[in-house]
Amino acid sequence: MDNNTQSRQLSSPREGSGVGSPLVCIIMGSTSDLPVMEKACQLLDQLQVPFEVKALSAHRTPEAVEQFARGAKERGLKVIIAAAGMAAALPGVIAASTTLPVIGVPIKGMLDGLDAMLSIIQMPPGIPVATVGVNAAQNAALLAIEMLALSDDAIAARLQDYKATLKQKIEKANEELAALKFQYKTN
């Protein structure tokens, strides 16, 4: 981990912070996944969705993973985002022990993340894990926010505003591209 990553605080909202109980949990096998998963943290924070971040390993702390998954719904969580590289067992192990939606984020590793992606998407019948692209933590957060927006009008409004800014970015990019001058450019 770099010094910036080490200085970041990885905890759920503190009591009295005014943030409330977490709706989303971002879970990773180790903090080496944090540089990727931080994009999910940033988007959840930007759209004011309470979340927590944890490191649990399907292989090194299997009992803790199962305990976490079994108790997640009772703690008020609504969606779990689980990062996994290589063997990519974490999202599936969590999904096997909870009825909450689980979104898997394959982490780029030895086979450019293809190994992790295939492990996450090839779940047996009855144990679904939604899967986003390799290292696509931001899309995982967006998918979690879309799920929450189905029953929360305030989150839905913030999501709609966020999506409007995406459109504005493309419109601005096209204006900038239109201003480029080349001899044979036709637009």
Side-chain angles (χ1 to χ4, degrees), residues 17-179:
S17 69
V19 174
S21 297
L23 299 176
V24 177
C25 180
I26 298 171
I27 187 166
M28 58 196 90
S30 73
T31 55
S32 65
D33 298 332
L34 183 58
V36 171
M37 298 311 294
E38 192 167 21
K39 293 178 180 88
C41 297
Q42 290 166 347
L43 185 59
L44 290 166
D45 207 53
Q46 178 183 343
L47 295 185
Q48 302 170 25
V49 175
F51 67 97
E52 64 183 15
V53 182
K54 294 184 176 289
L56 293 172
S57 169
H59 300 108
R60 293 171 289 216
T61 59
E63 296 88 5
V65 171
E66 187 173 339
Q67 182 180 3
F68 160 79
R70 289 190 189 283
K73 187 173 186 178
E74 289 75 29
R75 292 191 320 106
L77 289 172
K78 303 294 184 197
V79 183
I80 299 169
I81 299 171
M86 300 189 312
L90 186 59
V93 169
I94 292 170
S97 295
T98 186
T99 58
L100 294 176
V102 177
I103 303 168
V105 179
I107 301 294
K108 187 174 183 176
M110 297 183 32
L111 299 174
D112 285 336
L114 184 60
D115 50 343
M117 183 179 64
L118 291 173
S119 293
I120 296 171
I121 63 175
Q122 294 297 330
M123 294 302 299
I127 313 293
V129 174
T131 309
V132 295
V134 174
N135 285 3
Q138 185 173 359
N139 275 352
L142 193 54
L143 183 56
I145 292 165
E146 289 173 344
M147 291 174 182
L148 295 170
L150 292 170
S151 60
D152 187 315
D153 292 338
I155 291 175
R158 292 191 296 272
L159 175 61
Q160 186 173 358
D161 291 345
Y162 171 78
K163 291 227 174 177
T165 65
L166 298 178
K167 177 183 175 187
Q168 293 166 357
K169 286 179 184 177
I170 295 299
E171 289 170 349
K172 185 175 190 267
N174 275 316
E175 289 171 9
E176 292 170 359
L177 291 172

Side-chain angles (χ1 to χ4, degrees), residues 1-11 14 28 30-35 38:
M1 264 188 296
D2 63 25
N3 289 336
N4 290 334
T5 303
Q6 287 177 337
S7 67
R8 292 184 192 99
Q9 188 174 359
L10 294 180
S11 64
R14 291 204 188 325
M28 58 196 90
S30 73
T31 55
S32 65
D33 298 332
L34 183 58
E38 192 167 21

